[in-house]
């Protein structure tokens, strides 16, 4: 059987730096082929070339045997190629319906097809809602629906489950299997090895712009995959972080203190009502719930980005309910937002400035100091960069996330709120981030961590708070934390 897609000796440079080096890649009809690699390995660039968004410097593409030196996005769509990008690219002022059906013939049949696709995915996003009002997970689902509505024969999914809850991920997997049965070939880019093992028959691993490992999923061990993804100059230090990612053993050096860093009383805001909880120094508290449960709205209210409609927020026994965000920031309340590109980073500013942007302005523009700060996090998080003057926009999504995390840590937090901190981050870097979060808590910082990947809370969190439809539906302490219990409570069930 011939491949539906072949990339033959594809090479690409940006500003004289080789990001793809003679890449060969093949995809067959009905196959899920996983593409793994560390942040900046070249995965997204290769997929953009296949989708016609970027032009290769050398090599060719074969689509169902037809040869192309390059493709335009229009040609790619005509050939049945659709890329669902890691960062959703929607028209913010158009509705969900308009975004999905953009440039498609408008008819009753199209509307019926769309509703059927949404039913199959158990997707309940309002079609009349504007894209700018959607959470990242819903934006990603809109992108997936765009591809499905265009009868894609080659579907590229770049980190499609990064912001999806387990239930949403299961629905997406069922749809992927249905697409396989229809002969659709799927490139599945993910950093989540358990998902890859469930879906993919073959895996290709990229590192530094080259394919360094390829084979059947069943014949490749996790250790082989992780070692293949890891830059050679970091492999000798990774054995412990591999174990951390797989087992997450607790190794905190201090115990939580007795006083609450934050106390919330009967707090009501946009998307939630009557919340009560406390956060303690040295403690990592998980915040779980389905998309739409109010997790991000709560985090933004605590940080001052949304108004308090009722109740009180105390930081170290001082009420901050009416304080501006700047005041909360000055007191050590730091927030890493879910959407790094829209709410987090200054994309056209240098890495060095982004890293110190929350610090005292008197410390800005001290280039030697800023370069030293960037170098420290470059080593700790493995940020792939050319120099501290490089603009953040030029980094891969995962490396952008690392810069955002570095900024939050450099601001010397008293309370650190992190919303999806490992979104789009590779396996090795996830381990580094987990270790950093533990190290931050060990310095008597309170950490509130929101994640859609419930496995992250096991072995990492001291407690998990679970929200359901804007209310707090319970709390699990360390020994009782499990995915099944969290899922049951997130769907409205009681403490199992």
């Amino acid at each position: 059987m011939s491949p539906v897609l072949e990339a033959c000796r594809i090479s690409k440079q940006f500003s004289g730096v080789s990001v793809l080096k003679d890449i060969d890649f093949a995809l067959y009809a009905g196959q899920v082929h996983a593409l793994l690699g560390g942040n900046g390995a070249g995965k997204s660039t290769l997929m953009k070339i296949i989708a016609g968004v970027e032009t290769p410097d050398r090599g060719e593409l074969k689509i169902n045997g037809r040869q192309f030196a390059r493709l335009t996005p229009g040609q790619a769509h005509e050939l049945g190629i659709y890329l669902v990008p890691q960062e959703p690219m929607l028209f913010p002022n158009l509705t969900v319906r308009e975004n999905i059906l953009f440039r498609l013939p408008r008819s009753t049949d199209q509307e019926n097809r769309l509703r059927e696709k949404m039913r199959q995915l158990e997707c309940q996003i309002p079609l009349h809602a504007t894209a700018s009002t959607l959470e990242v997970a819903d934006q990603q689902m809109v992108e997936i629906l765009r591809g499905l509505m265009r009868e894609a024969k080659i579907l590229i999914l770049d980190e499609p489950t990064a912001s999806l809850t387990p239930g949403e991920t299961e629905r997406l997997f069922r749809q992927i299997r249905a697409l396989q049965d229809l002969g659709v070939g799927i490139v599945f880019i993910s950093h989540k090895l358990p998902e890859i093992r469930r879906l993919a028959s073959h895996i290709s691993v990229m590192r530094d712009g080259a394919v360094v490992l390829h084979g059947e999923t069943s014949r490749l061990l996790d250790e082989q995959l992780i070692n293949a993804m890891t830059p050679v100059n970091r492999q000798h230090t990774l054995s412990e972080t591999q174990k951390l990612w797989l087992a997450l053993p607790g190794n905190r050096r201090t115990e939580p203190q007795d006083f609450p860093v934050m106390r919330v009383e009967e707090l009501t805001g946009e998307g939630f009502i009557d919340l009560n909880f406390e956060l303690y120094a040295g403690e990592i508290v998980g915040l779980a719930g389905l998309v739409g449960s109010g997790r991000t709205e709560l985090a933004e209210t605590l940080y001052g980005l949304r108004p308090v409609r009722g109740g009180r927020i105390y930081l170290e026994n001082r009420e901050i309910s009416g304080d501006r965000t700047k005041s909360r920031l000055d007191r050590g309340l730091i927030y890493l937002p879910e959407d790094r590109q829209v709410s987090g980073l200054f994309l056209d500013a240098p890495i060095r400035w982004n890293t110190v942007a929350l610090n005292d302005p008197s410390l800005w523009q001290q280039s030697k100091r800023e370069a030293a700060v960037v170098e420290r996090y470059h080593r700790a998080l493995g940020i792939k960069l050319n120099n501290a003057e490089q603009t953040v926009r030029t980094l891969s999504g995962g490396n952008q996330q690392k810069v955002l995390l570095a900024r939050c840590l450099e601001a010397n937090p008293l309370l650190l709120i992190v919303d999806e901190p490992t979104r789009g981050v590779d396996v090795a870097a996830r381990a580094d981030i987990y270790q950093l979060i533990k190290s931050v808590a060990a310095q008597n910082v309170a950490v509130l961590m929101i994640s859609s990947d419930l496995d992250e809370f096991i072995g990492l969190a001291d407690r998990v708070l679970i929200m359901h439809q804007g209310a707090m539906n319970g709390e699990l302490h360390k020994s009782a934390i499990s995915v099944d219990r969290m899922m049951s409570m997130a769907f409205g069930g009681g403490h199992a």
Side-chain angles (χ1 to χ4, degrees), residues 57-292:
D57 298 330
R58 189 172 63 250
E60 67 176 13
L61 298 171
K62 295 181 182 178
I63 311 299
N64 290 313
R66 294 175 59 190
Q67 295 183 349
F68 298 88
R70 64 151 296 174
L71 292 174
T72 65
Q75 285 177 310
H77 282 172
E78 289 173 6
L79 292 165
I81 302 170
Y82 194 80
L83 166 65
V84 177
Q86 181 179 335
E87 303 292 344
M89 299 176 66
L90 304 180
F91 299 103
N93 296 322
L94 297 186
T95 66
V96 170
R97 176 187 286 103
E98 289 166 340
N99 268 281
I100 295 172
L101 299 179
F102 184 73
R103 298 192 72 177
L104 290 178
R106 300 299 292 271
S107 67
T108 303
D109 286 346
Q110 290 284 32
E111 289 275 347
N112 291 339
R113 282 183 61 236
L114 173 55
R115 293 186 185 279
E116 177 60 17
K117 295 291 183 187
M118 294 181 73
R119 187 193 64 78
Q120 290 171 347
L121 277 175
E122 301 176 41
C123 174
Q124 298 180 357
I125 304 171
L127 289 172
H128 58 80
T130 54
S132 61
T133 65
L134 302 181
E135 295 187 8
V136 173
D138 286 338
Q139 292 179 30
Q140 211 147 17
M141 192 62 73
V142 171
E143 283 279 15
I144 290 168
L145 284 164
R146 268 179 163 178
L148 298 182
M149 285 297 293
R150 282 158 177 77
E151 301 290 358
K153 297 302 179 186
I154 299 168
L155 186 62
I156 302 168
L157 302 177
D158 193 350
E159 295 285 349
T161 66
S163 298
L164 301 186
T165 63
E168 291 167 329
T169 297
E170 285 298 323
R171 292 195 290 273
L172 176 60
F173 284 6
R174 288 198 294 271
Q175 185 67 24
I176 287 174
R177 294 188 185 99
L179 291 170
Q180 283 184 269
D181 293 340
L182 295 173
V184 177
I186 298 168
V187 182
F188 188 80
I189 302 175
S190 176
H191 295 303
K192 300 178 181 180
L193 298 185
E195 290 184 358
I196 286 171
R197 292 204 173 279
R198 287 182 58 192
L199 280 178
S201 60
H202 288 73
I203 298 175
S204 293
V205 179
M206 292 182 66
R207 185 179 71 227
D208 296 329
V211 174
V212 295
L213 182 66
H214 169 76
E216 295 179 22
T217 304
S218 60
R219 295 178 179 272
L220 296 171
L221 303 176
D222 283 1
E223 186 176 0
Q224 289 175 278
L225 298 171
I226 294 171
N227 281 335
M229 282 188 286
T230 307
V232 175
N233 61 1
R234 298 191 74 215
Q235 286 181 354
H236 67 284
T237 65
L238 197 61
S239 60
E240 288 306 310
T241 52
Q242 288 177 17
K243 293 176 186 176
L244 175 67
W245 185 78
L246 294 170
L248 291 178
N251 62 352
R252 188 170 298 113
R253 297 189 298 273
T254 64
E255 293 298 320
Q257 302 300 309
D258 293 331
F259 59 89
V261 171
M262 174 170 279
R263 187 171 80 254
V264 168
E265 295 180 350
E266 304 295 327
L267 186 65
T268 295
E270 298 175 17
F272 59 88
I273 187 170
D274 293 338
L275 302 186
N276 294 276
F277 60 88
E278 295 178 339
L279 304 174
Y280 290 85
E283 183 182 40
I284 300 172
V285 177
L287 185 61
L290 304 177
V291 171

Side-chain angles (χ1 to χ4, degrees), residues 132 161 165 331 358 387 434 457 479:
S132 61
T161 66
T165 63
R331 292 181 57 81
L358 296 182
N387 56 65
Y434 298 152
F457 295 134
S479 60

Side-chain angles (χ1 to χ4, degrees), residues 259-263 314-319 331 414:
F259 59 89
V261 171
M262 174 170 279
R263 187 171 80 254
Y314 294 91
L315 189 64
E316 289 194 313
N317 294 322
R318 178 183 178 278
E319 186 175 358
R331 292 181 57 81
L414 171 73

